Amino acid sequence: MTYQAPTSPDLHVADEPLELAGKHILLCLTGGIACYKAAELCRALIKAGATVQVVMTEAAEQFITAVTFQALSGRPVYSNQWDKREANNMAHINLSRAADAILIAPCSADFIAKLVQGRADDLLSLMCLARPLGSTPLLIAPAMNREMYAHPATQRNLAQLQADGATVLGVGTGFQACGETGDGRMLEPEQLLEDVIAFFAPKLLLGQRVVVTAGPTYEAIDPVRGITNLSSGKMGFAIARAAHEAGAQVTLIAGPVSLSTPRGVDRIDVKSAENMLQAVINKAHEATIFIATAAVADWRVAAPSDRKLKKDGTGSTPQLVFEENPDILATVASSPAALQGRLFCVGFAAESHDLAAHAQAKRLRKNVPLLVGNIGPAAFGKDHNALLLVDAAGTTELPRASKRSLARALVNEIARRCPSPAQ
Ligand code: C5P
């Protein structure tokens, strides 16, 4: 008998392009203890497919060596404006013309002030001033002590930098190397990576306000037990992330899941279908797009016990009586905003067979312009899926891919059907 390697359905997906494939990033470090995090960021950018050229100021070299970054990026580091490796001796021009973006991480308070003043007395400041404004974006990740960050001069400078066209990526909060606690830590490498990927995404949903439901709901039986389902929330979270990357303002209303919130997305945690409905109603009136990916329980226990149900030793079992949960999607789809075309509603259907027919029937029953069908058992909890989009014009297949890729493809499809108010 020949040996057959075990197979996983999740492996049957063509290799997907890396998220930063083809992007050349100038990763620039200024003086600050957060330089140690930039090493991990360099690796993360490269793992995502970018090529990385590192530029360091003299102060940055006090915190970490250029050798580390040469090894990680596979390229010699630049730090001197008189670098003889450049035939024309114009490193500031050559580097800034070749880049898809300049990312300064960490960016010190002093360097921010320098950028605001347009000074150019070292390679990095020279390079930033010489960058073509229209084609080489500048992203900065501030890192400094909380008092320095909160100081009106720094806040004024950050606002001015933004007004001058730079993208300020924000800061983290927490324990700082100086021993104080507050705002001003550099964002973590994985957060910065997420922000850089989002930066490059086409802003197809600019001006849209999107509400997404995700995950299962939990319907209590008593204070310690309940009924739920195997939805992981991965699809809904991926859609929320993709919508944010596309420029939308996103609220994610999540049932009990153990997933981290995508960057830039507002998250509201709920438990039961009734909680979810309430949260959706509170948010839907200001939304322009509603995407219902949650696997909402069809029924809840009519009278959950406020005390734990106990075995009484006689073998008798509790008799649970159920009542139907509200249909959140149908409720929103029948609101005046949806009926008058101001709120575009997208539903999901998890089926086990005859996907196209069931999805089309569900679309009409729920009265939504777009319904996304998938095969439930192949989707729940998995990292990959395949989708079938059903609308009045017919069906469109989104073949098997990661939920991340599918989410982006779905956002493109939604944007095509739902013109952005900002465009
Ligand atoms: O009827 P069914 O549960 O198959 O419909 C699935 C779609 O309806 C999904 O978009 C789901 O989020 C939504 N739904 C809902 N409220 C319910 C049941 C389903 O919003 N109570």
PDB file of all heavy atoms in Angstrom, residues 26 28 30 55 91-93 95-97 102-104 107 111 114-116 118-120 122-133 136-140 161 164:
ATOM      1  N   LEU A  26      11.454  52.518   2.864  1.00  0.00           N
ATOM      2  CA  LEU A  26      12.609  53.061   3.581  1.00  0.00           C
ATOM      3  C   LEU A  26      12.240  53.040   5.057  1.00  0.00           C
ATOM      4  O   LEU A  26      11.371  53.807   5.493  1.00  0.00           O
ATOM      5  CB  LEU A  26      12.880  54.507   3.154  1.00  0.00           C
ATOM      6  CG  LEU A  26      13.503  54.732   1.777  1.00  0.00           C
ATOM      7  CD1 LEU A  26      13.684  56.226   1.532  1.00  0.00           C
ATOM      8  CD2 LEU A  26      14.843  54.023   1.677  1.00  0.00           C
ATOM      9  N   CYS A  28      13.196  53.990   8.580  1.00  0.00           N
ATOM     10  CA  CYS A  28      14.135  54.981   9.107  1.00  0.00           C
ATOM     11  C   CYS A  28      14.026  55.040  10.624  1.00  0.00           C
ATOM     12  O   CYS A  28      12.919  55.092  11.179  1.00  0.00           O
ATOM     13  CB  CYS A  28      13.814  56.358   8.527  1.00  0.00           C
ATOM     14  SG  CYS A  28      13.728  56.297   6.723  1.00  0.00           S
ATOM     15  N   THR A  30      15.180  56.927  14.253  1.00  0.00           N
ATOM     16  CA  THR A  30      15.788  58.061  14.953  1.00  0.00           C
ATOM     17  C   THR A  30      16.039  57.606  16.393  1.00  0.00           C
ATOM     18  O   THR A  30      15.665  56.487  16.769  1.00  0.00           O
ATOM     19  CB  THR A  30      14.872  59.308  14.901  1.00  0.00           C
ATOM     20  OG1 THR A  30      13.693  59.039  15.669  1.00  0.00           O
ATOM     21  CG2 THR A  30      14.477  59.659  13.475  1.00  0.00           C
ATOM     22  N   VAL A  55      17.552  53.325   7.014  1.00  0.00           N
ATOM     23  CA  VAL A  55      18.305  54.580   7.178  1.00  0.00           C
ATOM     24  C   VAL A  55      18.288  54.900   8.670  1.00  0.00           C
ATOM     25  O   VAL A  55      17.231  54.800   9.309  1.00  0.00           O
ATOM     26  CB  VAL A  55      17.647  55.726   6.370  1.00  0.00           C
ATOM     27  CG1 VAL A  55      18.362  57.045   6.608  1.00  0.00           C
ATOM     28  CG2 VAL A  55      17.618  55.384   4.881  1.00  0.00           C
ATOM     29  N   ALA A  91      22.646  60.526  -1.908  1.00  0.00           N
ATOM     30  CA  ALA A  91      21.857  59.448  -1.301  1.00  0.00           C
ATOM     31  C   ALA A  91      20.431  59.917  -1.014  1.00  0.00           C
ATOM     32  O   ALA A  91      19.470  59.159  -1.192  1.00  0.00           O
ATOM     33  CB  ALA A  91      22.535  58.981  -0.025  1.00  0.00           C
ATOM     34  N   HIS A  92      20.286  61.176  -0.574  1.00  0.00           N
ATOM     35  CA  HIS A  92      18.944  61.658  -0.196  1.00  0.00           C
ATOM     36  C   HIS A  92      17.983  61.646  -1.386  1.00  0.00           C
ATOM     37  O   HIS A  92      16.796  61.366  -1.236  1.00  0.00           O
ATOM     38  CB  HIS A  92      19.022  63.054   0.431  1.00  0.00           C
ATOM     39  CG  HIS A  92      19.572  64.104  -0.469  1.00  0.00           C
ATOM     40  ND1 HIS A  92      20.857  64.067  -0.952  1.00  0.00           N
ATOM     41  CD2 HIS A  92      19.011  65.228  -0.975  1.00  0.00           C
ATOM     42  CE1 HIS A  92      21.065  65.138  -1.712  1.00  0.00           C
ATOM     43  NE2 HIS A  92      19.953  65.857  -1.745  1.00  0.00           N
ATOM     44  N   ILE A  93      18.512  61.918  -2.600  1.00  0.00           N
ATOM     45  CA  ILE A  93      17.664  61.906  -3.799  1.00  0.00           C
ATOM     46  C   ILE A  93      17.421  60.458  -4.227  1.00  0.00           C
ATOM     47  O   ILE A  93      16.277  60.029  -4.410  1.00  0.00           O
ATOM     48  CB  ILE A  93      18.342  62.682  -4.962  1.00  0.00           C
ATOM     49  CG1 ILE A  93      18.617  64.134  -4.569  1.00  0.00           C
ATOM     50  CG2 ILE A  93      17.495  62.591  -6.243  1.00  0.00           C
ATOM     51  CD1 ILE A  93      17.394  65.002  -4.420  1.00  0.00           C
ATOM     52  N   LEU A  95      17.631  57.565  -2.672  1.00  0.00           N
ATOM     53  CA  LEU A  95      16.836  56.718  -1.771  1.00  0.00           C
ATOM     54  C   LEU A  95      15.359  57.112  -1.814  1.00  0.00           C
ATOM     55  O   LEU A  95      14.476  56.257  -1.881  1.00  0.00           O
ATOM     56  CB  LEU A  95      17.353  56.831  -0.335  1.00  0.00           C
ATOM     57  CG  LEU A  95      18.746  56.249  -0.067  1.00  0.00           C
ATOM     58  CD1 LEU A  95      19.207  56.602   1.343  1.00  0.00           C
ATOM     59  CD2 LEU A  95      18.756  54.736  -0.259  1.00  0.00           C
ATOM     60  N   SER A  96      15.096  58.408  -1.782  1.00  0.00           N
ATOM     61  CA  SER A  96      13.687  58.836  -1.688  1.00  0.00           C
ATOM     62  C   SER A  96      12.949  58.604  -3.009  1.00  0.00           C
ATOM     63  O   SER A  96      11.737  58.394  -3.007  1.00  0.00           O
ATOM     64  CB  SER A  96      13.581  60.299  -1.253  1.00  0.00           C
ATOM     65  OG  SER A  96      14.234  61.136  -2.186  1.00  0.00           O
ATOM     66  N   ARG A  97      13.677  58.613  -4.140  1.00  0.00           N
ATOM     67  CA  ARG A  97      13.001  58.362  -5.439  1.00  0.00           C
ATOM     68  C   ARG A  97      12.663  56.880  -5.611  1.00  0.00           C
ATOM     69  O   ARG A  97      11.717  56.525  -6.312  1.00  0.00           O
ATOM     70  CB  ARG A  97      13.889  58.775  -6.614  1.00  0.00           C
ATOM     71  CG  ARG A  97      14.004  60.263  -7.012  1.00  0.00           C
ATOM     72  CD  ARG A  97      13.325  61.183  -6.164  1.00  0.00           C
ATOM     73  NE  ARG A  97      13.480  62.609  -6.450  1.00  0.00           N
ATOM     74  CZ  ARG A  97      13.617  63.504  -5.493  1.00  0.00           C
ATOM     75  NH1 ARG A  97      13.677  63.148  -4.217  1.00  0.00           N
ATOM     76  NH2 ARG A  97      13.655  64.791  -5.769  1.00  0.00           N
ATOM     77  N   ILE A 102       8.274  56.223   2.965  1.00  0.00           N
ATOM     78  CA  ILE A 102       9.281  56.399   4.016  1.00  0.00           C
ATOM     79  C   ILE A 102       8.543  56.177   5.337  1.00  0.00           C
ATOM     80  O   ILE A 102       7.531  56.830   5.606  1.00  0.00           O
ATOM     81  CB  ILE A 102       9.876  57.822   3.990  1.00  0.00           C
ATOM     82  CG1 ILE A 102      10.559  58.097   2.638  1.00  0.00           C
ATOM     83  CG2 ILE A 102      10.848  58.023   5.141  1.00  0.00           C
ATOM     84  CD1 ILE A 102      11.066  59.542   2.477  1.00  0.00           C
ATOM     85  N   LEU A 103       9.047  55.240   6.140  1.00  0.00           N
ATOM     86  CA  LEU A 103       8.430  54.952   7.439  1.00  0.00           C
ATOM     87  C   LEU A 103       9.469  55.254   8.511  1.00  0.00           C
ATOM     88  O   LEU A 103      10.514  54.594   8.557  1.00  0.00           O
ATOM     89  CB  LEU A 103       8.010  53.469   7.478  1.00  0.00           C
ATOM     90  CG  LEU A 103       7.617  52.891   8.833  1.00  0.00           C
ATOM     91  CD1 LEU A 103       6.397  53.614   9.399  1.00  0.00           C
ATOM     92  CD2 LEU A 103       7.316  51.390   8.707  1.00  0.00           C
ATOM     93  N   ILE A 104       9.190  56.265   9.351  1.00  0.00           N
ATOM     94  CA  ILE A 104      10.136  56.586  10.430  1.00  0.00           C
ATOM     95  C   ILE A 104       9.620  55.951  11.717  1.00  0.00           C
ATOM     96  O   ILE A 104       8.585  56.345  12.257  1.00  0.00           O
ATOM     97  CB  ILE A 104      10.301  58.108  10.613  1.00  0.00           C
ATOM     98  CG1 ILE A 104      10.613  58.780   9.262  1.00  0.00           C
ATOM     99  CG2 ILE A 104      11.425  58.390  11.611  1.00  0.00           C
ATOM    100  CD1 ILE A 104      10.841  60.283   9.351  1.00  0.00           C
ATOM    101  N   CYS A 107      10.099  57.542  15.637  1.00  0.00           N
ATOM    102  CA  CYS A 107      10.312  58.938  15.297  1.00  0.00           C
ATOM    103  C   CYS A 107      10.335  59.745  16.611  1.00  0.00           C
ATOM    104  O   CYS A 107       9.328  59.773  17.337  1.00  0.00           O
ATOM    105  CB  CYS A 107       9.199  59.435  14.374  1.00  0.00           C
ATOM    106  SG  CYS A 107       9.598  61.017  13.617  1.00  0.00           S
ATOM    107  N   PHE A 111      13.012  64.785  16.213  1.00  0.00           N
ATOM    108  CA  PHE A 111      12.974  64.631  14.761  1.00  0.00           C
ATOM    109  C   PHE A 111      11.649  65.142  14.184  1.00  0.00           C
ATOM    110  O   PHE A 111      11.599  65.689  13.085  1.00  0.00           O
ATOM    111  CB  PHE A 111      13.226  63.169  14.357  1.00  0.00           C
ATOM    112  CG  PHE A 111      13.686  63.075  12.932  1.00  0.00           C
ATOM    113  CD1 PHE A 111      15.004  63.334  12.579  1.00  0.00           C
ATOM    114  CD2 PHE A 111      12.775  62.795  11.917  1.00  0.00           C
ATOM    115  CE1 PHE A 111      15.415  63.307  11.259  1.00  0.00           C
ATOM    116  CE2 PHE A 111      13.179  62.768  10.591  1.00  0.00           C
ATOM    117  CZ  PHE A 111      14.500  63.027  10.257  1.00  0.00           C
ATOM    118  N   LYS A 114      12.011  68.729  13.838  1.00  0.00           N
ATOM    119  CA  LYS A 114      12.900  68.991  12.701  1.00  0.00           C
ATOM    120  C   LYS A 114      12.137  68.907  11.368  1.00  0.00           C
ATOM    121  O   LYS A 114      12.295  69.752  10.483  1.00  0.00           O
ATOM    122  CB  LYS A 114      13.981  67.908  12.739  1.00  0.00           C
ATOM    123  CG  LYS A 114      15.284  68.297  12.166  1.00  0.00           C
ATOM    124  CD  LYS A 114      16.323  67.280  12.666  1.00  0.00           C
ATOM    125  CE  LYS A 114      17.566  67.400  11.827  1.00  0.00           C
ATOM    126  NZ  LYS A 114      18.656  66.604  12.344  1.00  0.00           N
ATOM    127  N   LEU A 115      11.286  67.897  11.273  1.00  0.00           N
ATOM    128  CA  LEU A 115      10.477  67.733  10.054  1.00  0.00           C
ATOM    129  C   LEU A 115       9.558  68.933   9.856  1.00  0.00           C
ATOM    130  O   LEU A 115       9.376  69.431   8.741  1.00  0.00           O
ATOM    131  CB  LEU A 115       9.620  66.465  10.132  1.00  0.00           C
ATOM    132  CG  LEU A 115      10.324  65.116   9.971  1.00  0.00           C
ATOM    133  CD1 LEU A 115       9.367  63.979  10.303  1.00  0.00           C
ATOM    134  CD2 LEU A 115      10.867  64.947   8.556  1.00  0.00           C
ATOM    135  N   VAL A 116       8.972  69.376  10.981  1.00  0.00           N
ATOM    136  CA  VAL A 116       8.032  70.501  10.903  1.00  0.00           C
ATOM    137  C   VAL A 116       8.743  71.753  10.397  1.00  0.00           C
ATOM    138  O   VAL A 116       8.200  72.523   9.606  1.00  0.00           O
ATOM    139  CB  VAL A 116       7.367  70.745  12.285  1.00  0.00           C
ATOM    140  CG1 VAL A 116       6.646  72.077  12.321  1.00  0.00           C
ATOM    141  CG2 VAL A 116       6.403  69.609  12.602  1.00  0.00           C
ATOM    142  N   GLY A 118      11.315  71.791   8.502  1.00  0.00           N
ATOM    143  CA  GLY A 118      11.903  71.578   7.175  1.00  0.00           C
ATOM    144  C   GLY A 118      13.418  71.654   7.190  1.00  0.00           C
ATOM    145  O   GLY A 118      14.041  72.051   6.199  1.00  0.00           O
ATOM    146  N   ARG A 119      14.004  71.266   8.325  1.00  0.00           N
ATOM    147  CA  ARG A 119      15.478  71.292   8.384  1.00  0.00           C
ATOM    148  C   ARG A 119      16.075  70.111   7.640  1.00  0.00           C
ATOM    149  O   ARG A 119      15.397  69.108   7.403  1.00  0.00           O
ATOM    150  CB  ARG A 119      15.933  71.339   9.843  1.00  0.00           C
ATOM    151  CG  ARG A 119      15.801  72.763  10.381  1.00  0.00           C
ATOM    152  CD  ARG A 119      15.810  72.823  11.857  1.00  0.00           C
ATOM    153  NE  ARG A 119      16.978  72.146  12.416  1.00  0.00           N
ATOM    154  CZ  ARG A 119      17.084  71.829  13.697  1.00  0.00           C
ATOM    155  NH1 ARG A 119      16.100  72.104  14.516  1.00  0.00           N
ATOM    156  NH2 ARG A 119      18.155  71.231  14.154  1.00  0.00           N
ATOM    157  N   ALA A 120      17.342  70.218   7.258  1.00  0.00           N
ATOM    158  CA  ALA A 120      17.953  69.202   6.397  1.00  0.00           C
ATOM    159  C   ALA A 120      19.444  69.107   6.671  1.00  0.00           C
ATOM    160  O   ALA A 120      20.265  69.284   5.786  1.00  0.00           O
ATOM    161  CB  ALA A 120      17.682  69.551   4.938  1.00  0.00           C
ATOM    162  N   ASP A 122      21.002  66.361   8.177  1.00  0.00           N
ATOM    163  CA  ASP A 122      21.559  65.001   8.175  1.00  0.00           C
ATOM    164  C   ASP A 122      20.831  64.212   7.086  1.00  0.00           C
ATOM    165  O   ASP A 122      19.867  64.718   6.488  1.00  0.00           O
ATOM    166  CB  ASP A 122      21.441  64.322   9.550  1.00  0.00           C
ATOM    167  CG  ASP A 122      20.005  64.062   9.962  1.00  0.00           C
ATOM    168  OD1 ASP A 122      19.071  64.474   9.238  1.00  0.00           O
ATOM    169  OD2 ASP A 122      19.796  63.437  11.014  1.00  0.00           O
ATOM    170  N   LEU A 123      21.287  62.996   6.823  1.00  0.00           N
ATOM    171  CA  LEU A 123      20.729  62.271   5.677  1.00  0.00           C
ATOM    172  C   LEU A 123      19.208  62.111   5.773  1.00  0.00           C
ATOM    173  O   LEU A 123      18.490  62.354   4.807  1.00  0.00           O
ATOM    174  CB  LEU A 123      21.389  60.884   5.544  1.00  0.00           C
ATOM    175  CG  LEU A 123      20.775  60.028   4.439  1.00  0.00           C
ATOM    176  CD1 LEU A 123      20.902  60.670   3.069  1.00  0.00           C
ATOM    177  CD2 LEU A 123      21.386  58.625   4.436  1.00  0.00           C
ATOM    178  N   LEU A 124      18.709  61.716   6.971  1.00  0.00           N
ATOM    179  CA  LEU A 124      17.271  61.423   7.056  1.00  0.00           C
ATOM    180  C   LEU A 124      16.411  62.676   6.861  1.00  0.00           C
ATOM    181  O   LEU A 124      15.425  62.652   6.106  1.00  0.00           O
ATOM    182  CB  LEU A 124      16.956  60.735   8.394  1.00  0.00           C
ATOM    183  CG  LEU A 124      15.502  60.305   8.590  1.00  0.00           C
ATOM    184  CD1 LEU A 124      15.001  59.468   7.424  1.00  0.00           C
ATOM    185  CD2 LEU A 124      15.320  59.548   9.896  1.00  0.00           C
ATOM    186  N   SER A 125      16.766  63.764   7.523  1.00  0.00           N
ATOM    187  CA  SER A 125      15.954  64.980   7.369  1.00  0.00           C
ATOM    188  C   SER A 125      16.051  65.506   5.935  1.00  0.00           C
ATOM    189  O   SER A 125      15.060  65.955   5.348  1.00  0.00           O
ATOM    190  CB  SER A 125      16.360  66.047   8.383  1.00  0.00           C
ATOM    191  OG  SER A 125      17.744  66.297   8.298  1.00  0.00           O
ATOM    192  N   LEU A 126      17.236  65.392   5.365  1.00  0.00           N
ATOM    193  CA  LEU A 126      17.462  65.816   3.977  1.00  0.00           C
ATOM    194  C   LEU A 126      16.567  64.999   3.027  1.00  0.00           C
ATOM    195  O   LEU A 126      15.897  65.540   2.135  1.00  0.00           O
ATOM    196  CB  LEU A 126      18.945  65.539   3.675  1.00  0.00           C
ATOM    197  CG  LEU A 126      19.644  66.173   2.500  1.00  0.00           C
ATOM    198  CD1 LEU A 126      19.512  67.685   2.544  1.00  0.00           C
ATOM    199  CD2 LEU A 126      21.144  65.807   2.564  1.00  0.00           C
ATOM    200  N   MET A 127      16.552  63.698   3.297  1.00  0.00           N
ATOM    201  CA  MET A 127      15.776  62.781   2.458  1.00  0.00           C
ATOM    202  C   MET A 127      14.268  63.078   2.555  1.00  0.00           C
ATOM    203  O   MET A 127      13.548  63.051   1.557  1.00  0.00           O
ATOM    204  CB  MET A 127      16.047  61.374   2.977  1.00  0.00           C
ATOM    205  CG  MET A 127      15.900  60.286   1.993  1.00  0.00           C
ATOM    206  SD  MET A 127      16.298  58.744   2.843  1.00  0.00           S
ATOM    207  CE  MET A 127      14.847  58.487   3.818  1.00  0.00           C
ATOM    208  N   CYS A 128      13.812  63.377   3.786  1.00  0.00           N
ATOM    209  CA  CYS A 128      12.378  63.664   3.971  1.00  0.00           C
ATOM    210  C   CYS A 128      11.997  64.958   3.254  1.00  0.00           C
ATOM    211  O   CYS A 128      10.932  65.055   2.646  1.00  0.00           O
ATOM    212  CB  CYS A 128      12.028  63.756   5.452  1.00  0.00           C
ATOM    213  SG  CYS A 128      12.134  62.172   6.285  1.00  0.00           S
ATOM    214  N   LEU A 129      12.875  65.955   3.348  1.00  0.00           N
ATOM    215  CA  LEU A 129      12.575  67.232   2.702  1.00  0.00           C
ATOM    216  C   LEU A 129      12.629  67.102   1.181  1.00  0.00           C
ATOM    217  O   LEU A 129      11.860  67.750   0.467  1.00  0.00           O
ATOM    218  CB  LEU A 129      13.577  68.301   3.176  1.00  0.00           C
ATOM    219  CG  LEU A 129      13.191  69.738   2.870  1.00  0.00           C
ATOM    220  CD1 LEU A 129      11.939  70.148   3.643  1.00  0.00           C
ATOM    221  CD2 LEU A 129      14.333  70.690   3.224  1.00  0.00           C
ATOM    222  N   ALA A 130      13.511  66.232   0.710  1.00  0.00           N
ATOM    223  CA  ALA A 130      13.712  66.092  -0.743  1.00  0.00           C
ATOM    224  C   ALA A 130      12.731  65.121  -1.374  1.00  0.00           C
ATOM    225  O   ALA A 130      12.727  64.949  -2.589  1.00  0.00           O
ATOM    226  CB  ALA A 130      15.139  65.597  -1.003  1.00  0.00           C
ATOM    227  N   ARG A 131      11.878  64.468  -0.553  1.00  0.00           N
ATOM    228  CA  ARG A 131      11.009  63.441  -1.126  1.00  0.00           C
ATOM    229  C   ARG A 131       9.954  64.081  -2.022  1.00  0.00           C
ATOM    230  O   ARG A 131       9.423  65.149  -1.682  1.00  0.00           O
ATOM    231  CB  ARG A 131      10.360  62.597  -0.035  1.00  0.00           C
ATOM    232  CG  ARG A 131       9.112  63.211   0.567  1.00  0.00           C
ATOM    233  CD  ARG A 131       8.602  62.406   1.733  1.00  0.00           C
ATOM    234  NE  ARG A 131       7.186  62.591   1.942  1.00  0.00           N
ATOM    235  CZ  ARG A 131       6.648  63.617   2.593  1.00  0.00           C
ATOM    236  NH1 ARG A 131       7.414  64.573   3.084  1.00  0.00           N
ATOM    237  NH2 ARG A 131       5.338  63.692   2.730  1.00  0.00           N
ATOM    238  N   PRO A 132       9.615  63.452  -3.147  1.00  0.00           N
ATOM    239  CA  PRO A 132       8.542  63.993  -3.979  1.00  0.00           C
ATOM    240  C   PRO A 132       7.220  63.843  -3.232  1.00  0.00           C
ATOM    241  O   PRO A 132       6.796  62.716  -2.936  1.00  0.00           O
ATOM    242  CB  PRO A 132       8.581  63.101  -5.223  1.00  0.00           C
ATOM    243  CG  PRO A 132       9.857  62.313  -5.135  1.00  0.00           C
ATOM    244  CD  PRO A 132      10.227  62.238  -3.699  1.00  0.00           C
ATOM    245  N   LEU A 133       6.569  64.936  -2.893  1.00  0.00           N
ATOM    246  CA  LEU A 133       5.354  64.885  -2.055  1.00  0.00           C
ATOM    247  C   LEU A 133       4.256  64.027  -2.662  1.00  0.00           C
ATOM    248  O   LEU A 133       3.526  63.342  -1.960  1.00  0.00           O
ATOM    249  CB  LEU A 133       4.825  66.304  -1.823  1.00  0.00           C
ATOM    250  CG  LEU A 133       5.536  67.136  -0.762  1.00  0.00           C
ATOM    251  CD1 LEU A 133       4.928  68.521  -0.675  1.00  0.00           C
ATOM    252  CD2 LEU A 133       5.471  66.439   0.594  1.00  0.00           C
ATOM    253  N   THR A 136       6.065  59.911  -2.831  1.00  0.00           N
ATOM    254  CA  THR A 136       6.751  59.187  -1.746  1.00  0.00           C
ATOM    255  C   THR A 136       6.123  59.587  -0.410  1.00  0.00           C
ATOM    256  O   THR A 136       6.539  60.570   0.217  1.00  0.00           O
ATOM    257  CB  THR A 136       8.272  59.489  -1.739  1.00  0.00           C
ATOM    258  OG1 THR A 136       8.773  59.320  -3.067  1.00  0.00           O
ATOM    259  CG2 THR A 136       9.014  58.548  -0.805  1.00  0.00           C
ATOM    260  N   PRO A 137       5.119  58.850   0.016  1.00  0.00           N
ATOM    261  CA  PRO A 137       4.449  59.213   1.271  1.00  0.00           C
ATOM    262  C   PRO A 137       5.369  59.027   2.478  1.00  0.00           C
ATOM    263  O   PRO A 137       6.271  58.194   2.455  1.00  0.00           O
ATOM    264  CB  PRO A 137       3.263  58.244   1.338  1.00  0.00           C
ATOM    265  CG  PRO A 137       3.594  57.135   0.396  1.00  0.00           C
ATOM    266  CD  PRO A 137       4.527  57.676  -0.636  1.00  0.00           C
ATOM    267  N   LEU A 138       5.087  59.828   3.504  1.00  0.00           N
ATOM    268  CA  LEU A 138       5.867  59.779   4.749  1.00  0.00           C
ATOM    269  C   LEU A 138       4.958  59.305   5.875  1.00  0.00           C
ATOM    270  O   LEU A 138       3.916  59.918   6.145  1.00  0.00           O
ATOM    271  CB  LEU A 138       6.415  61.178   5.057  1.00  0.00           C
ATOM    272  CG  LEU A 138       7.149  61.356   6.387  1.00  0.00           C
ATOM    273  CD1 LEU A 138       8.407  60.501   6.444  1.00  0.00           C
ATOM    274  CD2 LEU A 138       7.524  62.839   6.596  1.00  0.00           C
ATOM    275  N   LEU A 139       5.340  58.207   6.524  1.00  0.00           N
ATOM    276  CA  LEU A 139       4.578  57.678   7.653  1.00  0.00           C
ATOM    277  C   LEU A 139       5.459  57.765   8.879  1.00  0.00           C
ATOM    278  O   LEU A 139       6.635  57.377   8.814  1.00  0.00           O
ATOM    279  CB  LEU A 139       4.206  56.205   7.419  1.00  0.00           C
ATOM    280  CG  LEU A 139       3.113  55.876   6.406  1.00  0.00           C
ATOM    281  CD1 LEU A 139       3.591  56.099   4.986  1.00  0.00           C
ATOM    282  CD2 LEU A 139       2.678  54.435   6.559  1.00  0.00           C
ATOM    283  N   ILE A 140       4.905  58.243   9.984  1.00  0.00           N
ATOM    284  CA  ILE A 140       5.760  58.316  11.163  1.00  0.00           C
ATOM    285  C   ILE A 140       5.109  57.624  12.362  1.00  0.00           C
ATOM    286  O   ILE A 140       3.906  57.699  12.590  1.00  0.00           O
ATOM    287  CB  ILE A 140       6.185  59.761  11.509  1.00  0.00           C
ATOM    288  CG1 ILE A 140       5.038  60.539  12.104  1.00  0.00           C
ATOM    289  CG2 ILE A 140       6.774  60.509  10.321  1.00  0.00           C
ATOM    290  CD1 ILE A 140       5.561  61.675  12.927  1.00  0.00           C
ATOM    291  N   LEU A 161       2.547  68.352  11.066  1.00  0.00           N
ATOM    292  CA  LEU A 161       3.070  67.309  10.167  1.00  0.00           C
ATOM    293  C   LEU A 161       1.947  66.699   9.336  1.00  0.00           C
ATOM    294  O   LEU A 161       2.096  66.454   8.137  1.00  0.00           O
ATOM    295  CB  LEU A 161       3.697  66.178  10.990  1.00  0.00           C
ATOM    296  CG  LEU A 161       5.207  66.147  11.125  1.00  0.00           C
ATOM    297  CD1 LEU A 161       5.652  64.823  11.713  1.00  0.00           C
ATOM    298  CD2 LEU A 161       5.867  66.342   9.764  1.00  0.00           C
ATOM    299  N   ASP A 164       0.842  68.909   6.740  1.00  0.00           N
ATOM    300  CA  ASP A 164       1.834  68.949   5.654  1.00  0.00           C
ATOM    301  C   ASP A 164       1.810  67.670   4.811  1.00  0.00           C
ATOM    302  O   ASP A 164       2.654  67.485   3.939  1.00  0.00           O
ATOM    303  CB  ASP A 164       3.250  69.138   6.230  1.00  0.00           C
ATOM    304  CG  ASP A 164       3.462  70.535   6.800  1.00  0.00           C
ATOM    305  OD1 ASP A 164       2.625  71.413   6.529  1.00  0.00           O
ATOM    306  OD2 ASP A 164       4.450  70.739   7.526  1.00  0.00           O
TER     307      ASP A 164
END
